[in-house]
């Protein structure tokens, strides 16, 4: 079965640089979520989209933005990167009306 | 805001034995969903089991079952016949039901590291 695809798997950036993470949800899943998991921490909800509209916002810094496109894939744009942004970034998707969230394998971002 | 508490940072169990992981949560909502996720060393987040708060019957998935006590706001996970492949970080998570108008994202606990002794 198709899963949630995230790219890239690993990313190394320098401070103050910009990064773009991509997420391709499972076919027919119309809702996408982004989570940030710092080292040894629990995942923190950043933002979600339903039908290309932002549906909820969590602890996402102002330096980050995201959007969902017409094919339902989503991108998380991170600017002015800081060392503290180093984390595992998960994308999850689900179909509205169902509560089975499927997570991708994550993108490990390292800011140096 | 809802909070999820996992009071056991680490648990250890002998292979083939049973272990119970604790989770409590705080909410003023009456309708919500609870989840247990497993995160092995690969870091993939894998859904173990899900419970709808309006259902009184405890969810079961093969060797995994929950003890859902709504009044006590408790949602423990029991793993029977533990296997080496069960070794992972286990996260309890909460989500508001749409009817409640609460947050769309999952709120996670801090996790319990489960060690399986051969």
């Amino acid at each position: 079965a198709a899963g949630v695809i995230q790219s890239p798997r690993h990313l190394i950036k320098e401070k103050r640089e910009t990064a773009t993470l991509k997420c391709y949800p499972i076919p027919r899943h119309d809702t996408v979520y982004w989570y940030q998991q710092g080292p040894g921490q629990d995942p923190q909800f950043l933002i979600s989209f339903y039908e290309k509209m932002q549906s909820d916002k969590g602890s996402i810094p102002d330096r980050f933005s995201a959007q969902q496109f017409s094919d339902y894939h989503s991108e998380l744009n991170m600017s002015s990167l800081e060392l503290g942004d180093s984390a595992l970034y998960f994308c999850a998707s689900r179909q509205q009306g169902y509560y089975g969230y499927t997570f991708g394998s994550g993108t490990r971002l390292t800011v140096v | 805001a809802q909070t999820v508490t996992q009071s056991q940072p680490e648990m250890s169990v002998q292979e083939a034995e049973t272990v119970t992981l604790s989770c409590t949560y705080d909410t003023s909502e009456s309708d919500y969903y609870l989840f247990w996720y497993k995160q092995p060393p690969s870091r993939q987040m894998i859904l173990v089991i899900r419970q709808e708060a309006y259902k009184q019957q405890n969810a079961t998935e093969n060797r995994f079952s929950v003890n859902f006590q709504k009044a006590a706001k408790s949602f423990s996970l029991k793993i029977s016949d533990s296997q080496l492949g069960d070794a992972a970080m286990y996260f309890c998570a909460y989500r508001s039901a749409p009817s409640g108008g609460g947050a769309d994202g999952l709120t996670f606990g801090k996790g319990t590291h489960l060690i399986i002794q051969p």
Side-chain angles (χ1 to χ4, degrees), chain B residues 47-85:
Chain B
L47 177 66
V48 175
I49 201 164
R50 178 181 70 218
Q51 175 81 42
E52 291 89 343
Y54 64 86
K55 290 186 177 179
Q56 294 185 344
Q57 187 173 7
N58 289 324
T60 299
E61 288 287 342
N62 301 314
R63 298 183 294 107
F64 299 87
S65 61
V66 298
N67 183 4
F68 174 48
Q69 302 288 327
K70 190 172 184 180
K73 298 179 182 176
S74 171
F75 183 61
S76 60
L77 174 69
K78 185 172 84 172
I79 305 174
S80 304
D81 185 25
S82 298
Q83 300 175 1
L84 294 177

Side-chain angles (χ1 to χ4, degrees), chain A residues 12-81:
Chain A
I12 299 175
K13 291 285 186 179
E14 295 189 353
K15 283 193 302 183
R16 293 179 289 278
E17 283 193 323
T18 297
T20 297
L21 310 185
K22 297 185 178 182
C23 169
Y24 297 85
I26 290 174
R28 294 188 303 281
H29 282 198
D30 49 21
T31 308
V32 171
Y33 303 80
W34 286 97
Y35 290 85
Q36 177 191 58
Q37 186 178 25
Q41 302 295 314
D42 55 297
Q44 295 292 315
F45 170 64
L46 294 178
I47 196 166
S48 61
F49 292 88
Y50 167 59
E51 285 291 344
K52 301 173 283 288
M53 299 286 290
Q54 180 182 308
S55 56
D56 200 8
K57 193 172 181 180
S59 52
I60 186 169
D62 292 340
R63 298 178 289 108
F64 294 6
S65 65
Q67 56 181 323
Q68 185 180 33
F69 295 85
S70 58
D71 63 351
Y72 296 105
H73 95 271
S74 178
E75 294 184 3
L76 177 66
N77 298 293
M78 310 158 70
S79 62
S80 303
L81 287 170

Side-chain angles (χ1 to χ4, degrees), chain A residues 80-101:
Chain A
S80 303
L81 287 170
E82 302 173 356
L83 295 178
D85 296 329
S86 295
L88 190 59
Y89 290 84
F90 284 108
C91 171
S93 73
R94 72 176 179 93
Q95 187 174 6
Q96 280 290 324
Y98 296 90
Y99 289 92
Y101 296 78

